[in-house]
Amino acid sequence: MKTLDTDVVVIGAGPSGLSAAAQAAENGMEVVVLEKAAVVGGAANMGMGPLGIGTKQQGDMMVDIDVEKAFKMFMEYTHWRSDARLVKRYFESSADTIKWLEESCGVEFAGAYKYFPKSEASWHIVAVNGGIGRNGGAIMNKHISEYAKENGADFHMETPAKKILKDEEGKICGVLATDKDGEEVQINCKAVIIATGGAGDNPQMLKERTGYIYREDMFNFAIPGLKGDGIRMAQEVGAAPTAMNVEMMYILPNSDFGPDCIPSVFMQPNLMVNQLGQRFINEEEMQNTTFCGNAISFQKGAVGYSIIDTKIAKGYMKKGVDVVNFVHHPETVEDFMEAVENSIANDNPDVVKADSIEELAEKLGIDPEVLEETIDEYNEMCESHDSMFYKNPKYMKPIEKAPFYAAKFRPGAYGTLGGIKINENAEVLDTEWEKIPGLFACGTDTCTIYGDSYMFLLPGNTMGYCLNTGRFAADSAANYVNDLED
């Protein structure tokens, strides 16, 4: 068995682990980072940027948001079923973290933006080639890891942690891991920071802890390796468990990474029905992926069908879509019909085309009479107002001209949230709310601040939470180690 000695071991190298490693190294700690994958970043490599409140970018763009406003919004949204002290510290620290990412880590931001029209401009998009693009999170993660290494952090890739060790006094004293050659490694340390990214790739834990069944009623991103290892290891050394949830959204499981025109068109405030052929949502809320995902998850079969006709499709193709967001925002959707034909030819089950409402219903598995009745009622309301759910009249477009198109949306998520109980200092607590000496945790393994629904009115929340709690954990670990040495 190989043996290493260090001050702090960080388990996991997603954004929370990277920020923890970089901050701990900046604080003068000797740091060993254990990452089971071959690359850093985890699920955040698909992201675009973190939340910030009261930042220079917001000031430059005249965005009217401060900590007090954000905190009040957040706590009202969660009905105070969240750790107010942790939320407050997170928001208060977020501007400094954006500044730290820029000035220390070299991250460039394109600005602060809304995700959708009803949200606040809290989302700090990482610049991609000087502008806005996808996967800015991967660029950010690379910068943070390089900064951590510059300050002496020692990264061990493809080296999963297996067990956290305690000494006879109950203090954390080390970690057992296995390196990429299969050799066992013991890292002796004074503090451990858990940042393993949740359990999105563990269908059994997902079902046990959230009730969702992977690829039946939950089509979450299952980033390979996110098995809940950190949650398990924390509980083995006495950490209190917390409720686990998901960052809900909705998704076309077989289309989300294909031609962008397909999700862009079908995520518009179109008519949406369930398997019973009935409307179940004010389709304006489709722009809020959490709200729409919640509504879909509550329907029979956990599926929602977005329906348009040829006239609506041609309108989008000619004039552009009604609502844009930063994930699906093609310059044009002129290729929509061609993309749909190609998808259908490739047996994509997400997309359906039909020459009549009856045929559309049959392809969707809906009673044709019910769907026709729903569409007739909807078309009548398009002439006056939506007396069912009060959708804005400008989005009320009748379904009349064949062919007709539909897309099958399912609940999705980036992974799991929560599992390990912490306080506002990212110190891990046991079942008696006592601190476990030397154990700290951050990121999605600990994220229970949203209550029952992700707070998407302040976009960038999860990545922001990961980065900030990573820094909290690093500061707490450094203070703990320094106190031991004193």
Side-chain angles (χ1 to χ4, degrees):
M1 178 191 294
K2 291 193 297 187
T3 302
L4 300 173
D5 295 294
T6 192
D7 293 324
V8 178
V9 173
V10 177
I11 305 176
S16 55
L18 290 172
S19 65
Q23 186 64 62
E26 182 183 291
N27 290 347
M29 296 292 103
E30 292 185 359
V31 180
V32 168
V33 182
L34 303 177
E35 169 55 50
K36 71 190 316 183
V39 296
V40 303
N45 285 336
M46 299 185 296
M48 295 175 68
L51 170 143
I53 303 295
T55 65
K56 178 181 181 298
Q57 287 82 359
Q58 288 167 330
D60 291 343
M61 299 173 74
M62 293 184 287
V63 173
D64 182 23
I65 185 77
D66 59 17
V67 170
E68 180 178 353
K69 179 180 178 180
F71 178 78
K72 288 179 176 178
M73 282 180 61
F74 196 98
M75 298 311 295
E76 181 177 354
Y77 181 91
T78 62
H79 304 140
W80 286 80
R81 291 183 62 86
S82 56
D83 186 338
R85 296 180 65 87
L86 179 56
V87 173
K88 177 79 181 309
R89 186 179 180 194
Y90 161 34
F91 286 166
E92 284 182 330
S93 303
S94 62
D96 181 69
T97 292
I98 296 296
K99 182 179 179 181
W100 176 76
L101 289 168
E102 286 185 298
E103 296 183 358
S104 296
C105 302
V107 178
E108 179 186 355
F109 291 97
Y113 298 92
K114 298 181 176 185
Y115 183 98
F116 60 96
K118 291 185 179 181
S119 64
E120 297 288 339
S122 60
W123 200 18
H124 287 64
I125 305 296
V126 177
V128 178
N129 297 322
I132 295 173
R134 291 195 188 186
N135 302 329
I139 296 172
M140 179 191 72
N141 291 327
K142 181 180 179 181
H143 279 284
I144 303 172
S145 65
E146 289 175 349
Y147 179 65
K149 291 173 184 177
E150 288 171 5
N151 281 278
D154 183 14
F155 281 72
H156 294 252
M157 307 304 293
E158 299 178 83
T159 304
K162 300 297 184 182
K163 184 179 179 63
I164 296 171
L165 305 177
K166 268 184 172 183
D167 65 18
E168 294 178 354
E169 297 179 353
K171 296 178 181 179
I172 300 302
C173 64
V175 177
L176 292 180
T178 304
D179 69 16
K180 61 183 178 181
D181 297 321
E183 184 175 356
E184 194 170 53
V185 183
Q186 179 169 320
I187 306 98
N188 300 315
C189 62
K190 302 178 182 71
V192 169
I193 299 174
I194 299 172
T196 54
D201 191 32
N202 188 332
Q204 182 178 349
M205 183 177 285
L206 183 74
K207 182 179 179 180
E208 291 174 353
R209 298 294 299 273
T210 72
Y212 291 114
I213 301 174
Y214 180 62
R215 299 201 71 81
E216 287 190 21
D217 60 3
M218 175 49 61
F219 289 76
N220 62 281
F221 292 114
I223 305 301
L226 298 187
K227 302 290 189 182
D229 295 331
I231 298 169
R232 171 188 58 79
M233 288 186 285
Q235 291 179 358
E236 287 174 351
V237 292
T242 63
M244 185 180 286
N245 206 337
V246 297
E247 183 184 336
M248 181 68 80
M249 62 179 183
Y250 67 109
I251 188 173
L252 293 170
N254 301 285
S255 301
D256 210 53
F257 296 100
D260 209 20
C261 61
I262 291 179
S264 294
V265 165
F266 284 117
M267 291 178 76
Q268 296 305 301
N270 309 313
L271 171 65
M272 180 171 271
V273 302
N274 57 21
Q275 282 192 349
L276 301 177
Q278 300 171 331
R279 287 181 73 200
F280 60 91
I281 189 174
N282 175 345
E283 293 91 350
E284 284 182 75
E285 300 299 344
M286 291 176 69
Q287 62 185 278
N288 186 324
T289 60
T290 294
F291 285 2
C292 192
N294 282 344
I296 291 172
S297 70
F298 192 66
Q299 305 309 307
K300 179 182 178 182
V303 62
Y305 304 102
S306 174
I307 298 174
I308 61 174
D309 70 356
T310 294
K311 182 178 179 180
I312 295 172
K314 288 184 176 179
Y316 291 144
M317 293 167 68
K318 182 178 180 181
K319 300 177 182 179
V321 295
D322 292 331
V323 178
V324 297
N325 65 50
F326 271 101
V327 173
H328 300 294
H329 62 289
E331 293 183 2
T332 177
V333 295
E334 292 177 353
D335 57 340
F336 170 74
M337 289 186 176
E338 179 183 356
V340 168
E341 294 290 350
N342 290 337
S343 291
I344 293 172
N346 290 321
D347 298 320
N348 183 347
D350 290 346
V351 183
V352 171
K353 177 184 177 183
D355 292 323
S356 68
I357 298 299
E358 180 179 7
E359 181 187 3
L360 185 69
E362 290 173 351
K363 288 185 175 182
L364 298 177
I366 298 173
D367 184 326
E369 291 185 8
V370 174
L371 183 59
E372 288 178 353
E373 182 179 334
T374 294
I375 290 177
D376 288 343
E377 180 183 43
Y378 183 77
N379 288 347
E380 289 179 9
M381 290 190 291
C382 289
E383 297 177 0
S384 55
H385 70 284
D386 180 7
S387 58
M388 176 72 73
F389 295 128
Y390 316 109
K391 182 163 69 172
N392 190 320
K394 71 179 180 180
Y395 300 132
M396 296 293 291
K397 301 176 182 181
I399 310 296
E400 298 174 326
K401 184 174 178 58
F404 304 98
Y405 302 88
K408 304 177 183 180
F409 283 105
R410 300 280 191 170
Y414 288 104
T416 62
L417 299 172
I420 303 171
K421 189 171 189 60
I422 62 168
N423 61 18
E424 72 269 23
N425 299 316
E427 297 165 306
V428 175
L429 306 180
D430 65 18
T431 55
E432 298 299 320
W433 292 60
E434 297 292 335
K435 293 180 283 189
I436 297 176
L439 188 60
F440 309 87
C442 52
T444 54
D445 288 326
T446 70
C447 188
T448 57
I449 64 172
Y450 304 131
D452 64 5
S453 296
Y454 176 64
M455 206 322 192
F456 206 30
L457 299 177
L458 293 168
N461 241 308
T462 299
M463 190 179 290
Y465 177 88
C466 288
L467 292 166
N468 282 277
T469 54
R471 297 184 74 201
F472 300 166
D475 285 341
S476 294
N479 290 336
Y480 174 81
V481 170
N482 288 331
D483 286 346
L484 287 178
E485 293 176 351
D486 291 343

